[in-house]
Amino acid sequence: MATDNRIHFWKRNPKGPGRFLKDTPKTNSLNVKSKKASSFHEFARSTNDAWDIEDEDDEGLLGATHTSAAPRPPLSTLSECEADAHPAGRQSPPRPEPCRDRLQPDGGPANGRVVKSSSEAQLNTTAVRSTLQKQQSLPMRPIIPLVARMSDQNASGAPPMTIREKSRLDKFRQLLAAPNTDLEELRKHSWSGIPREVRPITWRLLSGYLPANMERRELVLRRKREEYFGFIEQYYDSRTDEHHRDTYRQIHTDIPRTNPLIPLFQQPLVQEVFERILFIWAIRHPASGYVQGINDLVTPFFVVFLSEFVEEDVENFEMSALPLETQRNIEADSFWCMSKLLDGIQDNYTFAQPGIQIKVKALEELVSRIDEDIHSHFQKYEVEYLQFAFRWMNNLLMRELPLRCTIRLWDTYQAESEGFSHFHLYVCAAFLIEWRKEILSMSDFQNLLMLLQNLPTIHWGNEEVGLLLAEAYRLKYMFADAPNHYRR
């Protein structure tokens, strides 16, 4: 009976997260009896819940403007909260009007000066009023508790800092102001979360983008930003060449699906920034090129570096309100920090994505040792870890958690040794065990997959992420240095 239900689910369930986005010929249907696909790409083509693949008619795409690529209407019937927690099946809001102040890829090199935040720059009242008027024209998404402050729960409008929070912030500022920042000490303090006020500079340091020596930082920033825009001048025009056309088309198609209910990411100006970042990265890394999912990895860096110049919540902020130089700095810093991250997990995105296959197998072995009931439950109802954990590894849980939680999670990942490549495995195991009760209550394949691909994390905040990380650390302490503990 479980097998019958499974066949029915994968073939004809347009509402579930494993739906086919377009009707495909019967000859291409997933053969459930052949559980081990002949190739990893064959599996990917038949399970779009992990890849979010959509066969679209892209004729004339390269000659179209950005505002013409409107997202499709939703194909699922998820509720608003479920859709917000799982962006793969939700409808994008109307696209705003194109911004006037476009950042031209052939612009002159940035001068590297670190622009002060809006509070330090003392923007005049007229500029602030103009910004608010522009923001009113942006599409507003439903107000859901804890979602409005996506970048940090301690953002503007939150309760005043406690004595402990102020003490931590002072400690960070003391470390960052030292002639040579002690990176080990900085990692130790960052593990339990980085204060919003110092997160941008701390992320630049922990990612390896900036040197520990304070005197060298401005010189490095200037040089790296100029180097990035040199790449733009050298490579970006080749996006229409036959050799790079498919890469650019895929990037252009994926960008509107990135956080579609957040107005910031639906602005044409912001989408052009993402397109440039992803295209330059792809052609400079031909071993992997662009893979769906990498587009998600830009967003935390972009939001964190934008928050350095925006006191209010960035969710509805209009990018064109910032000076052109500031826009360029945010774009270049996002590119380099994303590149540093991907350098450590590039085998996740090379041909057949061997890094992800290895991590999913390791997760299965780990769960079989720490919670045999869940593992046996999956076996009973023929649920394979690849069917839900592929996306967890490919997108670093970004599709499972609100963006504010991802930013908090990445505080720890950057502080942890091999956080994105190694510690993430234990976070995924702890995340799965978190839903133990719900998993064991499901008694069929379809409901199990729908639960695992639409976990109710919409109201999660710093407290839930902190508990998740604590459990992941416990698992790592028990199993990381004793791999035989989770081998049968």
Side-chain angles (χ1 to χ4, degrees), residues 419-450:
F420 293 98
S421 60
H422 184 62
F423 186 62
H424 181 66
L425 168 66
Y426 300 96
V427 172
C428 287
F431 187 64
L432 182 63
I433 303 305
E434 172 71 21
W435 310 101
R436 185 179 195 277
K437 180 179 178 181
E438 291 82 356
I439 289 170
L440 295 179
S441 69
M442 299 291 178
S443 57
D444 64 274
F445 174 84
Q446 176 175 340
N447 286 328
L448 274 168
L449 258 294
M450 291 187 70

PDB file of all heavy atoms in Angstrom, residues 419-450:
ATOM      1  N   GLY A 419      32.337  25.566   9.085  1.00  0.00           N
ATOM      2  CA  GLY A 419      30.921  25.629   9.440  1.00  0.00           C
ATOM      3  C   GLY A 419      29.996  25.252   8.306  1.00  0.00           C
ATOM      4  O   GLY A 419      29.049  24.484   8.488  1.00  0.00           O
ATOM      5  N   PHE A 420      30.247  25.791   7.099  1.00  0.00           N
ATOM      6  CA  PHE A 420      29.357  25.529   5.968  1.00  0.00           C
ATOM      7  C   PHE A 420      29.557  24.126   5.393  1.00  0.00           C
ATOM      8  O   PHE A 420      28.622  23.550   4.853  1.00  0.00           O
ATOM      9  CB  PHE A 420      29.591  26.566   4.869  1.00  0.00           C
ATOM     10  CG  PHE A 420      29.189  27.959   5.260  1.00  0.00           C
ATOM     11  CD1 PHE A 420      30.146  28.865   5.703  1.00  0.00           C
ATOM     12  CD2 PHE A 420      27.869  28.374   5.193  1.00  0.00           C
ATOM     13  CE1 PHE A 420      29.783  30.153   6.069  1.00  0.00           C
ATOM     14  CE2 PHE A 420      27.490  29.648   5.553  1.00  0.00           C
ATOM     15  CZ  PHE A 420      28.462  30.551   5.998  1.00  0.00           C
ATOM     16  N   SER A 421      30.743  23.587   5.503  1.00  0.00           N
ATOM     17  CA  SER A 421      31.020  22.287   4.885  1.00  0.00           C
ATOM     18  C   SER A 421      30.873  21.117   5.840  1.00  0.00           C
ATOM     19  O   SER A 421      30.543  20.012   5.412  1.00  0.00           O
ATOM     20  CB  SER A 421      32.446  22.287   4.313  1.00  0.00           C
ATOM     21  OG  SER A 421      33.395  22.513   5.351  1.00  0.00           O
ATOM     22  N   HIS A 422      31.094  21.330   7.120  1.00  0.00           N
ATOM     23  CA  HIS A 422      31.112  20.209   8.069  1.00  0.00           C
ATOM     24  C   HIS A 422      30.054  20.337   9.162  1.00  0.00           C
ATOM     25  O   HIS A 422      29.248  19.426   9.376  1.00  0.00           O
ATOM     26  CB  HIS A 422      32.500  20.097   8.694  1.00  0.00           C
ATOM     27  CG  HIS A 422      32.670  18.925   9.615  1.00  0.00           C
ATOM     28  ND1 HIS A 422      32.550  17.617   9.188  1.00  0.00           N
ATOM     29  CD2 HIS A 422      32.919  18.866  10.943  1.00  0.00           C
ATOM     30  CE1 HIS A 422      32.739  16.799  10.213  1.00  0.00           C
ATOM     31  NE2 HIS A 422      32.953  17.529  11.284  1.00  0.00           N
ATOM     32  N   PHE A 423      30.031  21.477   9.841  1.00  0.00           N
ATOM     33  CA  PHE A 423      29.088  21.650  10.946  1.00  0.00           C
ATOM     34  C   PHE A 423      27.644  21.623  10.464  1.00  0.00           C
ATOM     35  O   PHE A 423      26.734  21.236  11.200  1.00  0.00           O
ATOM     36  CB  PHE A 423      29.388  22.964  11.669  1.00  0.00           C
ATOM     37  CG  PHE A 423      28.583  23.184  12.917  1.00  0.00           C
ATOM     38  CD1 PHE A 423      28.688  22.317  13.989  1.00  0.00           C
ATOM     39  CD2 PHE A 423      27.717  24.258  13.025  1.00  0.00           C
ATOM     40  CE1 PHE A 423      27.944  22.516  15.148  1.00  0.00           C
ATOM     41  CE2 PHE A 423      26.974  24.465  14.160  1.00  0.00           C
ATOM     42  CZ  PHE A 423      27.089  23.592  15.234  1.00  0.00           C
ATOM     43  N   HIS A 424      27.433  22.022   9.213  1.00  0.00           N
ATOM     44  CA  HIS A 424      26.078  22.029   8.650  1.00  0.00           C
ATOM     45  C   HIS A 424      25.431  20.642   8.707  1.00  0.00           C
ATOM     46  O   HIS A 424      24.209  20.529   8.864  1.00  0.00           O
ATOM     47  CB  HIS A 424      26.122  22.528   7.203  1.00  0.00           C
ATOM     48  CG  HIS A 424      24.795  22.594   6.532  1.00  0.00           C
ATOM     49  ND1 HIS A 424      23.795  23.457   6.912  1.00  0.00           N
ATOM     50  CD2 HIS A 424      24.273  21.878   5.491  1.00  0.00           C
ATOM     51  CE1 HIS A 424      22.728  23.289   6.147  1.00  0.00           C
ATOM     52  NE2 HIS A 424      22.995  22.337   5.276  1.00  0.00           N
ATOM     53  N   LEU A 425      26.227  19.582   8.584  1.00  0.00           N
ATOM     54  CA  LEU A 425      25.686  18.218   8.677  1.00  0.00           C
ATOM     55  C   LEU A 425      24.995  18.003  10.013  1.00  0.00           C
ATOM     56  O   LEU A 425      23.883  17.442  10.068  1.00  0.00           O
ATOM     57  CB  LEU A 425      26.823  17.207   8.502  1.00  0.00           C
ATOM     58  CG  LEU A 425      26.493  15.750   8.846  1.00  0.00           C
ATOM     59  CD1 LEU A 425      25.467  15.183   7.871  1.00  0.00           C
ATOM     60  CD2 LEU A 425      27.760  14.901   8.852  1.00  0.00           C
ATOM     61  N   TYR A 426      25.612  18.427  11.098  1.00  0.00           N
ATOM     62  CA  TYR A 426      25.042  18.226  12.431  1.00  0.00           C
ATOM     63  C   TYR A 426      23.856  19.143  12.677  1.00  0.00           C
ATOM     64  O   TYR A 426      22.930  18.779  13.410  1.00  0.00           O
ATOM     65  CB  TYR A 426      26.142  18.420  13.486  1.00  0.00           C
ATOM     66  CG  TYR A 426      27.266  17.441  13.286  1.00  0.00           C
ATOM     67  CD1 TYR A 426      28.408  17.789  12.571  1.00  0.00           C
ATOM     68  CD2 TYR A 426      27.157  16.129  13.759  1.00  0.00           C
ATOM     69  CE1 TYR A 426      29.428  16.869  12.353  1.00  0.00           C
ATOM     70  CE2 TYR A 426      28.167  15.207  13.542  1.00  0.00           C
ATOM     71  CZ  TYR A 426      29.289  15.582  12.835  1.00  0.00           C
ATOM     72  OH  TYR A 426      30.282  14.661  12.603  1.00  0.00           O
ATOM     73  N   VAL A 427      23.856  20.317  12.060  1.00  0.00           N
ATOM     74  CA  VAL A 427      22.687  21.199  12.141  1.00  0.00           C
ATOM     75  C   VAL A 427      21.495  20.538  11.451  1.00  0.00           C
ATOM     76  O   VAL A 427      20.372  20.558  11.971  1.00  0.00           O
ATOM     77  CB  VAL A 427      22.992  22.571  11.518  1.00  0.00           C
ATOM     78  CG1 VAL A 427      21.720  23.407  11.422  1.00  0.00           C
ATOM     79  CG2 VAL A 427      24.045  23.305  12.327  1.00  0.00           C
ATOM     80  N   CYS A 428      21.733  19.913  10.294  1.00  0.00           N
ATOM     81  CA  CYS A 428      20.647  19.225   9.580  1.00  0.00           C
ATOM     82  C   CYS A 428      20.111  18.059  10.401  1.00  0.00           C
ATOM     83  O   CYS A 428      18.894  17.822  10.444  1.00  0.00           O
ATOM     84  CB  CYS A 428      21.139  18.733   8.220  1.00  0.00           C
ATOM     85  SG  CYS A 428      21.376  20.050   7.006  1.00  0.00           S
ATOM     86  N   ALA A 429      20.993  17.314  11.053  1.00  0.00           N
ATOM     87  CA  ALA A 429      20.553  16.198  11.895  1.00  0.00           C
ATOM     88  C   ALA A 429      19.714  16.705  13.064  1.00  0.00           C
ATOM     89  O   ALA A 429      18.645  16.162  13.366  1.00  0.00           O
ATOM     90  CB  ALA A 429      21.758  15.414  12.405  1.00  0.00           C
ATOM     91  N   ALA A 430      20.173  17.768  13.721  1.00  0.00           N
ATOM     92  CA  ALA A 430      19.409  18.346  14.828  1.00  0.00           C
ATOM     93  C   ALA A 430      18.078  18.904  14.338  1.00  0.00           C
ATOM     94  O   ALA A 430      17.053  18.799  15.031  1.00  0.00           O
ATOM     95  CB  ALA A 430      20.229  19.451  15.497  1.00  0.00           C
ATOM     96  N   PHE A 431      18.076  19.488  13.140  1.00  0.00           N
ATOM     97  CA  PHE A 431      16.853  20.044  12.563  1.00  0.00           C
ATOM     98  C   PHE A 431      15.836  18.935  12.295  1.00  0.00           C
ATOM     99  O   PHE A 431      14.635  19.105  12.546  1.00  0.00           O
ATOM    100  CB  PHE A 431      17.207  20.775  11.270  1.00  0.00           C
ATOM    101  CG  PHE A 431      16.070  21.528  10.648  1.00  0.00           C
ATOM    102  CD1 PHE A 431      15.484  22.601  11.293  1.00  0.00           C
ATOM    103  CD2 PHE A 431      15.588  21.176   9.394  1.00  0.00           C
ATOM    104  CE1 PHE A 431      14.441  23.310  10.712  1.00  0.00           C
ATOM    105  CE2 PHE A 431      14.552  21.876   8.802  1.00  0.00           C
ATOM    106  CZ  PHE A 431      13.980  22.947   9.464  1.00  0.00           C
ATOM    107  N   LEU A 432      16.290  17.793  11.813  1.00  0.00           N
ATOM    108  CA  LEU A 432      15.391  16.673  11.550  1.00  0.00           C
ATOM    109  C   LEU A 432      14.807  16.130  12.849  1.00  0.00           C
ATOM    110  O   LEU A 432      13.593  15.886  12.950  1.00  0.00           O
ATOM    111  CB  LEU A 432      16.145  15.571  10.798  1.00  0.00           C
ATOM    112  CG  LEU A 432      15.325  14.343  10.394  1.00  0.00           C
ATOM    113  CD1 LEU A 432      14.224  14.728   9.413  1.00  0.00           C
ATOM    114  CD2 LEU A 432      16.230  13.280   9.773  1.00  0.00           C
ATOM    115  N   ILE A 433      15.651  15.958  13.853  1.00  0.00           N
ATOM    116  CA  ILE A 433      15.189  15.412  15.140  1.00  0.00           C
ATOM    117  C   ILE A 433      14.226  16.378  15.822  1.00  0.00           C
ATOM    118  O   ILE A 433      13.357  15.959  16.598  1.00  0.00           O
ATOM    119  CB  ILE A 433      16.398  15.122  16.054  1.00  0.00           C
ATOM    120  CG1 ILE A 433      17.367  14.153  15.369  1.00  0.00           C
ATOM    121  CG2 ILE A 433      15.944  14.546  17.387  1.00  0.00           C
ATOM    122  CD1 ILE A 433      16.741  12.862  14.912  1.00  0.00           C
ATOM    123  N   GLU A 434      14.342  17.670  15.531  1.00  0.00           N
ATOM    124  CA  GLU A 434      13.439  18.666  16.101  1.00  0.00           C
ATOM    125  C   GLU A 434      11.976  18.340  15.791  1.00  0.00           C
ATOM    126  O   GLU A 434      11.079  18.644  16.587  1.00  0.00           O
ATOM    127  CB  GLU A 434      13.802  20.053  15.542  1.00  0.00           C
ATOM    128  CG  GLU A 434      12.840  21.175  15.878  1.00  0.00           C
ATOM    129  CD  GLU A 434      12.894  21.582  17.339  1.00  0.00           C
ATOM    130  OE1 GLU A 434      13.920  21.294  17.993  1.00  0.00           O
ATOM    131  OE2 GLU A 434      11.913  22.185  17.818  1.00  0.00           O
ATOM    132  N   TRP A 435      11.740  17.683  14.655  1.00  0.00           N
ATOM    133  CA  TRP A 435      10.378  17.386  14.223  1.00  0.00           C
ATOM    134  C   TRP A 435      10.039  15.910  14.437  1.00  0.00           C
ATOM    135  O   TRP A 435       9.189  15.365  13.746  1.00  0.00           O
ATOM    136  CB  TRP A 435      10.206  17.766  12.750  1.00  0.00           C
ATOM    137  CG  TRP A 435      10.682  19.151  12.484  1.00  0.00           C
ATOM    138  CD1 TRP A 435      11.869  19.531  11.933  1.00  0.00           C
ATOM    139  CD2 TRP A 435       9.996  20.358  12.810  1.00  0.00           C
ATOM    140  NE1 TRP A 435      11.968  20.893  11.886  1.00  0.00           N
ATOM    141  CE2 TRP A 435      10.830  21.431  12.415  1.00  0.00           C
ATOM    142  CE3 TRP A 435       8.762  20.645  13.394  1.00  0.00           C
ATOM    143  CZ2 TRP A 435      10.473  22.764  12.590  1.00  0.00           C
ATOM    144  CZ3 TRP A 435       8.398  21.970  13.558  1.00  0.00           C
ATOM    145  CH2 TRP A 435       9.238  23.004  13.163  1.00  0.00           C
ATOM    146  N   ARG A 436      10.670  15.310  15.407  1.00  0.00           N
ATOM    147  CA  ARG A 436      10.501  13.875  15.665  1.00  0.00           C
ATOM    148  C   ARG A 436       9.034  13.491  15.887  1.00  0.00           C
ATOM    149  O   ARG A 436       8.521  12.540  15.286  1.00  0.00           O
ATOM    150  CB  ARG A 436      11.325  13.486  16.895  1.00  0.00           C
ATOM    151  CG  ARG A 436      11.335  12.007  17.213  1.00  0.00           C
ATOM    152  CD  ARG A 436      12.206  11.737  18.438  1.00  0.00           C
ATOM    153  NE  ARG A 436      12.511  10.327  18.541  1.00  0.00           N
ATOM    154  CZ  ARG A 436      11.706   9.426  19.090  1.00  0.00           C
ATOM    155  NH1 ARG A 436      10.529   9.807  19.592  1.00  0.00           N
ATOM    156  NH2 ARG A 436      12.051   8.160  19.141  1.00  0.00           N
ATOM    157  N   LYS A 437       8.358  14.231  16.743  1.00  0.00           N
ATOM    158  CA  LYS A 437       6.973  13.911  17.071  1.00  0.00           C
ATOM    159  C   LYS A 437       6.088  13.973  15.830  1.00  0.00           C
ATOM    160  O   LYS A 437       5.267  13.071  15.589  1.00  0.00           O
ATOM    161  CB  LYS A 437       6.461  14.877  18.137  1.00  0.00           C
ATOM    162  CG  LYS A 437       5.023  14.629  18.558  1.00  0.00           C
ATOM    163  CD  LYS A 437       4.593  15.620  19.638  1.00  0.00           C
ATOM    164  CE  LYS A 437       3.133  15.421  20.032  1.00  0.00           C
ATOM    165  NZ  LYS A 437       2.712  16.415  21.070  1.00  0.00           N
ATOM    166  N   GLU A 438       6.251  15.025  15.043  1.00  0.00           N
ATOM    167  CA  GLU A 438       5.434  15.191  13.835  1.00  0.00           C
ATOM    168  C   GLU A 438       5.737  14.097  12.812  1.00  0.00           C
ATOM    169  O   GLU A 438       4.835  13.578  12.151  1.00  0.00           O
ATOM    170  CB  GLU A 438       5.675  16.565  13.220  1.00  0.00           C
ATOM    171  CG  GLU A 438       5.147  17.741  14.033  1.00  0.00           C
ATOM    172  CD  GLU A 438       6.076  18.168  15.157  1.00  0.00           C
ATOM    173  OE1 GLU A 438       7.109  17.498  15.369  1.00  0.00           O
ATOM    174  OE2 GLU A 438       5.774  19.165  15.825  1.00  0.00           O
ATOM    175  N   ILE A 439       7.009  13.744  12.671  1.00  0.00           N
ATOM    176  CA  ILE A 439       7.401  12.723  11.706  1.00  0.00           C
ATOM    177  C   ILE A 439       6.791  11.376  12.070  1.00  0.00           C
ATOM    178  O   ILE A 439       6.208  10.683  11.227  1.00  0.00           O
ATOM    179  CB  ILE A 439       8.941  12.621  11.629  1.00  0.00           C
ATOM    180  CG1 ILE A 439       9.511  13.866  10.944  1.00  0.00           C
ATOM    181  CG2 ILE A 439       9.372  11.363  10.879  1.00  0.00           C
ATOM    182  CD1 ILE A 439      11.018  13.972  11.026  1.00  0.00           C
ATOM    183  N   LEU A 440       6.904  11.002  13.322  1.00  0.00           N
ATOM    184  CA  LEU A 440       6.413   9.684  13.747  1.00  0.00           C
ATOM    185  C   LEU A 440       4.889   9.607  13.732  1.00  0.00           C
ATOM    186  O   LEU A 440       4.322   8.508  13.726  1.00  0.00           O
ATOM    187  CB  LEU A 440       6.948   9.345  15.139  1.00  0.00           C
ATOM    188  CG  LEU A 440       8.472   9.174  15.241  1.00  0.00           C
ATOM    189  CD1 LEU A 440       8.888   8.855  16.676  1.00  0.00           C
ATOM    190  CD2 LEU A 440       8.971   8.086  14.290  1.00  0.00           C
ATOM    191  N   SER A 441       4.223  10.770  13.723  1.00  0.00           N
ATOM    192  CA  SER A 441       2.757  10.754  13.684  1.00  0.00           C
ATOM    193  C   SER A 441       2.226  10.540  12.271  1.00  0.00           C
ATOM    194  O   SER A 441       1.044  10.237  12.098  1.00  0.00           O
ATOM    195  CB  SER A 441       2.205  12.061  14.247  1.00  0.00           C
ATOM    196  OG  SER A 441       2.494  13.151  13.381  1.00  0.00           O
ATOM    197  N   MET A 442       3.084  10.707  11.252  1.00  0.00           N
ATOM    198  CA  MET A 442       2.665  10.521   9.864  1.00  0.00           C
ATOM    199  C   MET A 442       2.769   9.052   9.479  1.00  0.00           C
ATOM    200  O   MET A 442       3.775   8.400   9.767  1.00  0.00           O
ATOM    201  CB  MET A 442       3.549  11.359   8.921  1.00  0.00           C
ATOM    202  CG  MET A 442       3.489  12.843   9.183  1.00  0.00           C
ATOM    203  SD  MET A 442       1.884  13.530   8.741  1.00  0.00           S
ATOM    204  CE  MET A 442       2.099  15.250   9.227  1.00  0.00           C
ATOM    205  N   SER A 443       1.740   8.564   8.801  1.00  0.00           N
ATOM    206  CA  SER A 443       1.711   7.128   8.504  1.00  0.00           C
ATOM    207  C   SER A 443       1.583   6.839   7.010  1.00  0.00           C
ATOM    208  O   SER A 443       1.053   5.801   6.627  1.00  0.00           O
ATOM    209  CB  SER A 443       0.544   6.472   9.254  1.00  0.00           C
ATOM    210  OG  SER A 443      -0.684   7.087   8.908  1.00  0.00           O
ATOM    211  N   ASP A 444       2.042   7.762   6.176  1.00  0.00           N
ATOM    212  CA  ASP A 444       2.059   7.472   4.745  1.00  0.00           C
ATOM    213  C   ASP A 444       3.127   8.330   4.085  1.00  0.00           C
ATOM    214  O   ASP A 444       3.534   9.378   4.607  1.00  0.00           O
ATOM    215  CB  ASP A 444       0.694   7.725   4.100  1.00  0.00           C
ATOM    216  CG  ASP A 444       0.283   9.178   4.156  1.00  0.00           C
ATOM    217  OD1 ASP A 444      -0.308   9.583   5.184  1.00  0.00           O
ATOM    218  OD2 ASP A 444       0.565   9.906   3.204  1.00  0.00           O
ATOM    219  N   PHE A 445       3.580   7.887   2.931  1.00  0.00           N
ATOM    220  CA  PHE A 445       4.680   8.517   2.216  1.00  0.00           C
ATOM    221  C   PHE A 445       4.363   9.964   1.843  1.00  0.00           C
ATOM    222  O   PHE A 445       5.180  10.874   2.027  1.00  0.00           O
ATOM    223  CB  PHE A 445       4.980   7.701   0.950  1.00  0.00           C
ATOM    224  CG  PHE A 445       5.994   8.323   0.041  1.00  0.00           C
ATOM    225  CD1 PHE A 445       7.351   8.146   0.261  1.00  0.00           C
ATOM    226  CD2 PHE A 445       5.600   9.083  -1.055  1.00  0.00           C
ATOM    227  CE1 PHE A 445       8.286   8.720  -0.574  1.00  0.00           C
ATOM    228  CE2 PHE A 445       6.538   9.654  -1.901  1.00  0.00           C
ATOM    229  CZ  PHE A 445       7.881   9.466  -1.656  1.00  0.00           C
ATOM    230  N   GLN A 446       3.168  10.199   1.326  1.00  0.00           N
ATOM    231  CA  GLN A 446       2.819  11.530   0.840  1.00  0.00           C
ATOM    232  C   GLN A 446       2.872  12.567   1.952  1.00  0.00           C
ATOM    233  O   GLN A 446       3.487  13.628   1.796  1.00  0.00           O
ATOM    234  CB  GLN A 446       1.431  11.507   0.213  1.00  0.00           C
ATOM    235  CG  GLN A 446       0.952  12.891  -0.237  1.00  0.00           C
ATOM    236  CD  GLN A 446      -0.378  12.827  -0.966  1.00  0.00           C
ATOM    237  OE1 GLN A 446      -0.761  11.773  -1.451  1.00  0.00           O
ATOM    238  NE2 GLN A 446      -1.066  13.943  -1.025  1.00  0.00           N
ATOM    239  N   ASN A 447       2.243  12.301   3.079  1.00  0.00           N
ATOM    240  CA  ASN A 447       2.222  13.267   4.178  1.00  0.00           C
ATOM    241  C   ASN A 447       3.606  13.490   4.764  1.00  0.00           C
ATOM    242  O   ASN A 447       3.938  14.604   5.201  1.00  0.00           O
ATOM    243  CB  ASN A 447       1.243  12.820   5.253  1.00  0.00           C
ATOM    244  CG  ASN A 447      -0.205  13.025   4.843  1.00  0.00           C
ATOM    245  OD1 ASN A 447      -0.516  13.951   4.106  1.00  0.00           O
ATOM    246  ND2 ASN A 447      -1.094  12.144   5.297  1.00  0.00           N
ATOM    247  N   LEU A 448       4.409  12.429   4.806  1.00  0.00           N
ATOM    248  CA  LEU A 448       5.775  12.583   5.307  1.00  0.00           C
ATOM    249  C   LEU A 448       6.575  13.549   4.428  1.00  0.00           C
ATOM    250  O   LEU A 448       7.264  14.439   4.928  1.00  0.00           O
ATOM    251  CB  LEU A 448       6.475  11.226   5.372  1.00  0.00           C
ATOM    252  CG  LEU A 448       6.251  10.410   6.643  1.00  0.00           C
ATOM    253  CD1 LEU A 448       6.751   8.981   6.464  1.00  0.00           C
ATOM    254  CD2 LEU A 448       6.954  11.071   7.823  1.00  0.00           C
ATOM    255  N   LEU A 449       6.490  13.365   3.115  1.00  0.00           N
ATOM    256  CA  LEU A 449       7.230  14.248   2.207  1.00  0.00           C
ATOM    257  C   LEU A 449       6.717  15.676   2.280  1.00  0.00           C
ATOM    258  O   LEU A 449       7.498  16.632   2.262  1.00  0.00           O
ATOM    259  CB  LEU A 449       7.131  13.722   0.776  1.00  0.00           C
ATOM    260  CG  LEU A 449       8.360  12.980   0.252  1.00  0.00           C
ATOM    261  CD1 LEU A 449       9.554  13.901   0.121  1.00  0.00           C
ATOM    262  CD2 LEU A 449       8.721  11.796   1.153  1.00  0.00           C
ATOM    263  N   MET A 450       5.412  15.844   2.371  1.00  0.00           N
ATOM    264  CA  MET A 450       4.854  17.193   2.459  1.00  0.00           C
ATOM    265  C   MET A 450       5.294  17.880   3.750  1.00  0.00           C
ATOM    266  O   MET A 450       5.579  19.084   3.764  1.00  0.00           O
ATOM    267  CB  MET A 450       3.332  17.145   2.368  1.00  0.00           C
ATOM    268  CG  MET A 450       2.824  16.739   0.997  1.00  0.00           C
ATOM    269  SD  MET A 450       1.029  16.869   0.843  1.00  0.00           S
ATOM    270  CE  MET A 450       0.818  18.645   0.869  1.00  0.00           C
TER     271      MET A 450
END
